[in-house]
Amino acid sequence: MPARPAIVWFRRDLRLHDHPALAAALAAHEVVVPLFVLDPRLIGGRFSSANRTWFLLESVRALGDGLHRLGTELVVRVGDPRVVVPELAASIGSQDVFISRDHAPYGRARDVGVAERLAAGGARFHPLRGVLVHEPEDVATGEGRPYSVYAPFRRAWETRPRRTVLPPPTRLVPHAVPAGSIPTLASLGLGDGPTAGPGLLPTPGEPAARARLARWLDDGIAGYAANRDRPDLGAGTSRLSADLHLGLLSPLEVVERSVGPGEGRRVFVNELVWREFYAHVLFHRPDVRRRAFQPAFQAIAWSTDPVAFDAWRDGRTGYPIVDAAMRQLAGSGWMHNRARMIVASFLTKDLLQDWRAGEAHFMCHLVDGDVASNNGGWQWAASTGTDPQPYFRIFNPVTQGRRFDPDGTYVRRWLPELARVPVKRIHAPWEMAADEQTASGCVIGRDYPGPIVDHATARLRALAAYETARRTS
């Protein structure tokens, strides 16, 4: 084996199980230097998030602990990777840097810069699989074009052969590079801790993620098809989204362990394919970060009412299912997927506000905030994206609440002011008579706001705005 050490640069792959880049480096080199670079441009960009950064830092710490148990140390640096990685390679005489390939626009541009500087110093850059199950180039139409609709993408995705899940290393040779230290949130200008309430963020790190996956496969996945749309059911979804975002779990391993008989497993794997779909869309169409995927709806005349947006953001719209979801986001750094669709529809259709404002707000709070998935979900809800919800299909927040939170359990958890409102009124509390409001301790306009818009009227306004944009495009 070559005497010079290799560098394995960890990014969105903070794990030891099923890590192709790590396995390839260990197959060719006796000594491997594990590296993590904290990029200030990502931490402090337009999607800066204390919740997500805390989860990231603690997951890096857990990765370091795992590497230490195997006999080596994680090297941590802060700075521009285009400078840090080539400089480290040159200082230790490394001629090989291994990574899990990044598919997002920023990461791709960053990696081109790193590769060029490494090449100038005589070193090689090795991008391998690991962030997705299938690479974007591997799932294409018969004409070689990327898919823009989910259903045919899924069918093609399912036909592609999957690689073998790799075991974790059992031992690593120590290196002599100074390890450095993991910065704090405060040192990064993100406050003293996450904005989510104590104990409401998931436990970070690969070991905790693997435990969550095991519990889900044992106790949750069988009922997924029946329970996934119920925000009132605490165990209805896997809660693996943050783990997949940072690569604490290999998406391939999750798929391989999830496939099997039963509707719950089938539907869950389909949701994993949605994650892949949106990542592929962003790879092929990086412009969707700023523009509508559907050109016909680029010119929608969005409202710029800051009062309405603030009411949505703060959970004060007067529609309980919307407000509960927004307070769940602010309080826990997470929101149930059905709730995400409801609040996104409400912002873009009932309030006719630009989906990009909602996208940014989500990214500032979500511990699982993923640019591709978040953008894809918001554009779907706004009817501007791939597989768009037809613009004339607009979620009624009262109907959605009654259907998916029938007893008001979810609403009562996040809106304690509605705790004593009768079940039949919980999703439309303004329908209570004055004596009902007094008896329930929830006087509309005093203890809880009335609706900031009339849904029926707002629906007609949205239909007109979308039809005008479609007609004039």
Side-chain angles (χ1 to χ4, degrees), residues 199-266:
L200 292 179
L201 292 177
T203 303
E206 182 184 14
R210 296 189 69 79
R212 278 189 287 273
L213 175 60
R215 287 194 297 271
W216 172 244
L217 296 175
D218 288 343
D219 303 326
I221 194 170
Y224 182 69
N227 299 329
R228 69 191 182 106
D229 280 322
R230 293 284 299 275
D232 57 330
L233 302 179
T237 59
S238 71
R239 298 300 298 266
L240 299 177
S241 52
D243 304 324
L244 287 165
H245 170 64
L246 287 185
L248 306 180
L249 295 171
S250 155
L252 174 65
E253 182 183 2
V254 175
V255 168
E256 292 291 354
R257 294 178 64 181
S258 298
V259 294
E263 187 68 0
R265 288 179 176 271
R266 185 191 69 79

Side-chain angles (χ1 to χ4, degrees), residues 25-68:
L26 290 171
H29 295 263
E30 180 180 2
V31 178
V32 166
V33 177
L35 170 68
F36 178 80
V37 182
L38 191 71
D39 186 344
R41 288 175 300 174
L42 285 177
I43 298 302
R46 69 188 181 107
F47 291 153
S48 176
S49 168
N51 291 332
R52 198 162 54 254
T53 302
W54 173 85
F55 190 75
L56 166 67
L57 296 177
E58 294 305 311
S59 293
V60 170
R61 194 181 313 280
L63 174 65
D65 293 341
L67 290 165
H68 178 78

Side-chain angles (χ1 to χ4, degrees), residues 297-323:
F297 295 127
Q298 180 60 30
I300 293 173
W302 300 111
S303 168
T304 56
D305 180 357
V307 175
F309 181 84
D310 289 352
W312 173 85
R313 179 197 63 201
D314 298 338
R316 296 182 289 101
T317 69
Y319 287 93
I321 193 70
V322 174
D323 294 341

